[in-house]
Amino acid sequence: MASLLKPKLGISVFSITILILIPLLESNFNAPVTIKRWSKLTWDDFQGFVQPLSKYEAVIASSVYLEYDSVHKRFHAYAGQNNIRSWAKRSRPDQDYELNHEQYHFNITELHARRLNHYIAENPGGSPYLYNLRHGSINIDLRKMQREYDSETDHSLIFDRQRRWEYRIDSLLVLDSGWVTDHFSGGKAFFPAKPKLVKGTFENGTMHRGHRLSKYDMTLALYAYQNRNIDPALFGVNWPDIYANNAMKVKSVVSDTLEYGLKTLIIAEDTINYTDYSLWVYNDAYLYKAQARFPNNMGDTTGYAQIARSFINSFRIVDTDDYWIAKLESSDSPILLSTVSNRDENEKEQDTEYCMHVGPPSQPGFYRGPFYRDDGAMFLACDYIVHPDSLHYQDVMLLNKDWYSHTPTPHGQIYFVPAKNIPKQKFDIKFGYILLEDSVKDCYEFYHEKIEITRKIHVSSNTEL
Amino acid sequence: MAAKTDILDSFSAKSYFRTFGRRDIFTCLSLALFLLALDETLDYYANLDWMGEHQNIVLGVSGLILMVVNHIFYSLEHKRSNNFVGRIIHDCVLLIVFMLVSKTIGLLKGGTLNFGVEDVASSISTLIQIITLSVCLELVVAGFRRILNLLRWQVF
C-alpha cells in the first residue's frame, strides 16, 4: 500500500499555517480595532497590515452597520470604517489624490447607510428581521457600486472618470440642498458642494453676483450680470469678439431662442489648456452665465465634459419675488418714513434731523425689482455693498420727498413702499445708503442708484405701513 | 453474469467499510483543511477585481477538484478504485469532516458552535441534504471518471 502520510501531513501543516497566518494579518496581529463613523479620512485611519503581493497602494474596509438606538427606540444605520482592515503602503507619491479615492469609497458606504435609514424612516416599527433583510440587499448594492467605482476609474488611475464619480457621489449625498439660488437675479443651479459667493462691479459699471465652486479639477460657476446702460442682447452679436479678446478659441456654438431671447452654449478653449463650457442666457433683466471649466491636457476628458453638461443643464431662472416679500413680512426691523426738502444755505437751520447731499447716481449694488405684492405695495431688493473703511449707517430709499430709512443688513436690503404712497404716473426712485463715517459730518453723502419706474399694476387695496 | 455482478458491486458498501480506517479520515481531514485555507485566502484577496466576482465559482470548482483528489488518494492507498456507493460515502465523510473542522475553527475564532440543527427532525434533514449533495456531486465526478476511462487515463 502506498503511504501518503507525508503528503497529507504536508497539506495539513500548510493549511493550518494559512489558517493561522491570514487572521493574524487581517487583524494586524491583534491590534485594537476602531470603527470610525463617516467623516473625513486621514492616513492615520489606515492601520492594517499591508496585503502581501497586492498591486494596490491602499485599501479601505468600510461597511454599513445597523444598530439599535435605545434612547430614541429605533434602528439606525451608519457607515463605519475598520482601521485594521484598511491598509496603505508607505510609498504613496500622490497621497492626497489616493486618499481622496478612498474617501469616496467611504462616501459610497455613507450613501447606502442613508438609503437604509430612509427605508427605516418609511417603515417605522418594523421587525429586526425586516431591517436585516433590507440591510442585506443594501450591502449587495453597496458591493456592486464599490466594484463599479473601482472598475470605471481603474482604482483612481483614470482622472476624468474619478472626478465624474466624485461629482456623482457628492450630488447624491447633498440631494436637494445642493440647489443654489441667487435670490437677486433668480439664477439657480445645482452644486454638489457649497460654492463661494463672489460679487463686485467691473470697470464698465457692470455689477455681478456669482457662486463659484472649485472642485473635481474644475470650476463650476453661476454668474448674473446687471448693467442698465448696456444692452445685453448685443452679446449675441458680439460674442466672437468677446471670446477673441479673452484669448479663447471657440469650438462650438449652439443657440436656442425658444425660451429666452438669448440662450447660447459656447464651448471654447483657452491658451493654458482649459476647456470652457459657458451657457449665456438673457431674460430682459439680467445676463446669466453658467460656466464649467476643466483642464484638457490630462488625457481623456469625457468625464469632465459629462460633469460640465450636467451642471449646465441644471441651470434655470426662478421668480424670487415671493421670497423677498415673505422675508420682509417676517422681519421685525422697522422702516422709518420721513420727508425731505431742499436746503437753502442762506436760511437758518429749521427743525431738521440731518442734512443729506444727493449727488449723481453711483450704482450702489446689484438689485432686483421693483416688484409688487397683490395689494400694490412695491418692493425692491438691493445687495449690500461693502464700502472700504466704513459700515452702512442707514439704507435709504427716496421717492419724491418720501424718505424711507432701513436698518442695514449684510445680506441685502428690501426696500418697501406701501401702495398708497406710490405715484400713479411715471416716477423715479433713488435707493442706496449712508455711511457711518459720514454721520459725524454736517451733511451725509447719499450713495445711491436711480431708476425710473412706469407703474403698470392696478392697486386693489390699501395697506398701512 | 459478470456484468450483473459488476453492477451489484457498484451499489455495495461492504468493500468500503471493510477497509475504512484512520487513513481515510486523515485524508478527508487534510483536504478539508486545505479547502478551508483556500477559502480563507480567497476571502483575504476578495478586494481584487476578478476575485470579488468569481470567488464562489473558484471555491466551488476547487471543492469539486478536491473531491476527485480524495478519490485519487483512496485509490492510491487501497490499490483499488472505490465503487459508486463507496465514493458517495467517502464524499459524505469529506463533507462532514469539512463541516466539523469549519465549525471548530469558527469556535476558536470566538464564534459559537452552531450547526443550525435544533431537533432530531432538523438533524435528519441536514443529513439528507449532505447525502443528496454527495450524490449530485458524485454523479458529476462519475461522469468525469467515465471520460478519463475513455481516454484510458484511470486515476481513480
Side-chain angles (χ1 to χ4, degrees):
Chain A
M1 294 178 199
S3 176
L4 297 171
L5 184 63
K6 281 183 183 174
K8 286 190 276 191
L9 266 174
I11 291 170
S12 301
V13 168
F14 171 76
S15 303
I16 289 169
T17 305
I18 295 291
L19 287 168
I20 292 171
L21 190 60
I22 287 182
L24 283 175
L25 293 179
E26 280 183 331
S27 67
N28 196 8
F29 301 92
N30 296 319
V33 175
T34 304
I35 303 296
K36 177 174 177 166
R37 296 203 178 215
W38 184 66
S39 57
K40 193 164 169 56
L41 290 169
T42 66
W43 285 121
D44 290 338
D45 296 316
F46 293 72
Q47 297 291 326
F49 191 89
V50 176
Q51 201 176 63
L53 308 175
S54 175
K55 62 178 182 178
Y56 303 131
E57 293 296 316
V59 162
I60 182 174
S62 60
S63 299
V64 175
Y65 293 87
L66 185 61
E67 65 177 4
Y68 182 72
D69 183 349
S70 54
V71 172
H72 297 100
K73 294 191 178 3
R74 62 168 186 233
F75 282 86
H76 174 74
Y78 65 92
Q81 179 248 359
N82 186 317
N83 67 324
I84 296 302
R85 293 288 181 109
S86 307
W87 54 265
K89 292 181 182 174
R90 279 194 168 183
S91 59
R92 296 183 295 275
D94 294 314
Q95 293 195 18
D96 289 341
Y97 181 74
E98 285 169 19
L99 183 62
N100 184 62
H101 176 80
E102 303 306 326
Q103 178 69 55
Y104 274 88
H105 273 297
F106 203 10
N107 292 353
I108 289 171
T109 308
E110 168 64 14
L111 182 65
H112 286 77
R114 291 185 188 185
R115 285 181 181 168
L116 183 53
N117 281 328
H118 183 69
Y119 176 82
I120 293 169
E122 286 194 334
N123 296 276
S127 66
Y129 174 76
L130 179 73
Y131 295 143
N132 279 321
L133 207 60
R134 184 67 180 163
H135 185 199
S137 71
I138 279 179
N139 272 335
I140 292 171
D141 293 340
L142 170 62
R143 281 194 293 272
K144 186 181 170 196
M145 189 179 246
Q146 299 281 25
R147 277 199 298 271
E148 277 176 11
Y149 172 52
D150 271 334
S151 169
E152 286 187 20
T153 63
D154 194 12
H155 302 272
S156 82
L157 295 181
I158 305 176
F159 296 116
D160 68 311
R161 290 191 202 167
Q162 169 67 33
R163 298 309 189 195
R164 175 79 180 111
W165 266 92
E166 290 173 19
Y167 179 87
R168 179 183 168 192
I169 299 303
D170 285 344
S171 301
L172 290 170
L173 285 173
V174 298
L175 292 175
D176 284 343
S177 64
W179 285 103
V180 172
T181 303
D182 176 34
H183 290 107
F184 287 97
S185 65
K188 182 176 180 179
F190 186 86
F191 288 84
K194 189 173 176 173
K196 188 178 163 187
L197 176 66
V198 292
K199 58 183 183 181
T201 305
F202 295 124
E203 281 181 9
N204 65 356
T206 300
M207 296 171 286
H208 68 275
R209 276 179 62 88
H211 294 82
R212 187 167 63 214
L213 173 67
S214 294
K215 203 176 178 187
Y216 321 116
D217 301 327
M218 298 177 70
T219 300
L220 302 175
L222 173 62
Y223 299 105
Y225 305 94
Q226 185 177 42
N227 189 331
R228 293 164 52 81
N229 299 321
I230 293 178
D231 181 3
L234 289 175
F235 175 79
V237 177
N238 292 335
W239 66 257
D241 296 331
I242 294 170
Y243 273 77
N245 290 341
N246 285 285
M248 295 183 77
K249 186 178 175 184
V250 174
K251 302 299 247 183
S252 153
V253 179
V254 177
S255 291
D256 172 13
T257 55
L258 285 176
E259 204 176 349
Y260 304 104
L262 172 73
K263 184 177 177 184
T264 302
L265 175 65
I266 298 175
I267 302 173
E269 288 179 358
D270 64 15
T271 55
I272 52 171
N273 300 315
Y274 274 83
T275 298
D276 183 282
Y277 278 56
S278 288
L279 175 68
W280 296 92
V281 175
Y282 175 62
N283 72 339
D284 297 328
Y286 308 97
L287 177 66
Y288 304 86
K289 180 169 89 164
Q291 181 189 37
R293 197 161 170 269
F294 56 86
N296 56 26
N297 61 345
M298 294 169 68
D300 193 357
T301 59
T302 307
Y304 295 122
Q306 286 170 340
I307 295 172
R309 288 198 182 274
S310 182
F311 175 73
I312 297 285
N313 288 338
S314 77
F315 169 76
R316 57 208 62 188
I317 300 172
V318 296
D319 185 347
T320 57
D321 293 349
D322 289 342
Y323 165 82
W324 292 109
I325 292 171
K327 191 170 181 183
L328 184 67
E329 287 173 353
S330 63
S331 167
D332 55 4
S333 184
I335 301 172
L336 303 176
L337 175 61
S338 317
T339 53
V340 299
S341 57
N342 290 335
R343 185 186 184 192
D344 188 335
E345 294 287 345
N346 294 324
E347 290 181 7
K348 288 183 182 174
E349 282 191 18
Q350 298 178 3
D351 183 18
T352 59
E353 193 172 337
Y354 48 74
C355 163
M356 188 69 55
H357 177 243
V358 182
S362 56
Q363 289 189 329
F366 203 101
Y367 65 91
R368 180 182 183 84
F371 47 93
Y372 301 87
R373 197 165 53 188
D374 290 342
D375 61 355
M378 187 181 79
F379 292 76
L380 188 141
C382 185
D383 195 8
Y384 185 90
I385 292 296
V386 176
H387 209 275
D389 304 325
S390 182
L391 299 172
H392 290 199
Y393 178 59
Q394 282 183 5
D395 288 340
V396 177
M397 172 183 276
L398 179 61
L399 194 164
N400 294 336
K401 291 194 184 301
D402 289 339
W403 181 259
Y404 298 87
S405 48
H406 302 249
T407 307
T409 70
H411 304 295
Q413 190 58 257
I414 312 169
Y415 297 104
F416 168 81
V417 179
K420 65 179 181 180
N421 294 0
I422 300 174
K424 291 183 172 41
Q425 299 82 17
K426 189 163 78 171
F427 61 97
D428 59 48
I429 55 172
K430 298 179 179 69
F431 58 94
Y433 54 89
I434 301 166
L435 293 177
L436 195 61
E437 65 179 8
D438 289 346
S439 63
V440 296
K441 298 178 183 171
D442 290 339
C443 263
Y444 301 153
E445 185 65 38
F446 180 29
Y447 299 89
H448 67 278
E449 165 71 279
K450 174 184 165 183
I451 56 175
E452 270 188 11
I453 297 169
T454 304
R455 190 157 156 226
K456 297 175 185 176
I457 292 179
H458 174 69
V459 177
S460 59
S461 63
N462 288 327
T463 302
E464 294 294 329
L465 180 64
Chain B
M1 286 306 288
K4 191 175 177 184
T5 307
D6 287 338
I7 292 170
L8 288 173
D9 282 344
S10 295
F11 291 94
S12 169
K14 274 187 190 173
S15 55
Y16 179 82
F17 285 114
R18 196 170 57 234
T19 56
F20 183 75
R22 287 173 295 182
R23 287 179 302 179
D24 305 305
I25 293 182
F26 188 37
T27 304
C28 293
L29 179 65
S30 59
L31 293 178
L33 282 169
F34 185 78
L35 189 60
L36 283 167
L38 182 66
D39 181 36
E40 194 77 22
T41 307
L42 291 175
D43 222 24
Y44 184 60
Y45 283 99
N47 59 312
L48 295 177
D49 290 335
W50 64 270
M51 184 66 77
E53 294 170 22
H54 304 107
Q55 185 175 348
N56 290 335
I57 295 170
V58 170
L59 202 59
V61 169
S62 302
L64 213 57
I65 292 171
L66 286 176
M67 290 180 79
V68 173
V69 169
N70 196 18
H71 295 314
I72 293 172
F73 273 40
Y74 185 93
S75 173
L76 288 171
E77 286 181 328
H78 293 272
K79 294 290 187 197
R80 63 171 179 83
S81 296
N82 212 344
N83 63 9
F84 181 71
V85 171
R87 287 200 299 273
I88 289 174
I89 297 170
H90 206 43
D91 291 338
C92 288
V93 172
L94 177 60
L95 286 170
I96 290 168
V97 169
F98 175 81
M99 200 170 65
L100 286 171
V101 173
S102 171
K103 295 295 179 186
T104 305
I105 289 173
L107 186 67
L108 290 171
K109 281 185 176 179
T112 55
L113 190 63
N114 181 6
F115 290 91
V117 293
E118 295 166 357
D119 51 20
V120 175
S122 58
S123 304
I124 294 172
S125 167
T126 303
L127 198 60
I128 291 171
Q129 284 173 31
I130 289 172
I131 294 169
T132 308
L133 181 63
S134 302
V135 169
C136 294
L137 292 172
E138 195 47 47
L139 285 171
V140 174
V141 171
F144 177 63
R145 187 168 177 264
R146 176 65 68 177
I147 292 169
L148 290 177
N149 286 346
L150 288 172
L151 295 172
R152 298 184 188 281
W153 190 29
Q154 188 176 1
V155 290
F156 65 97

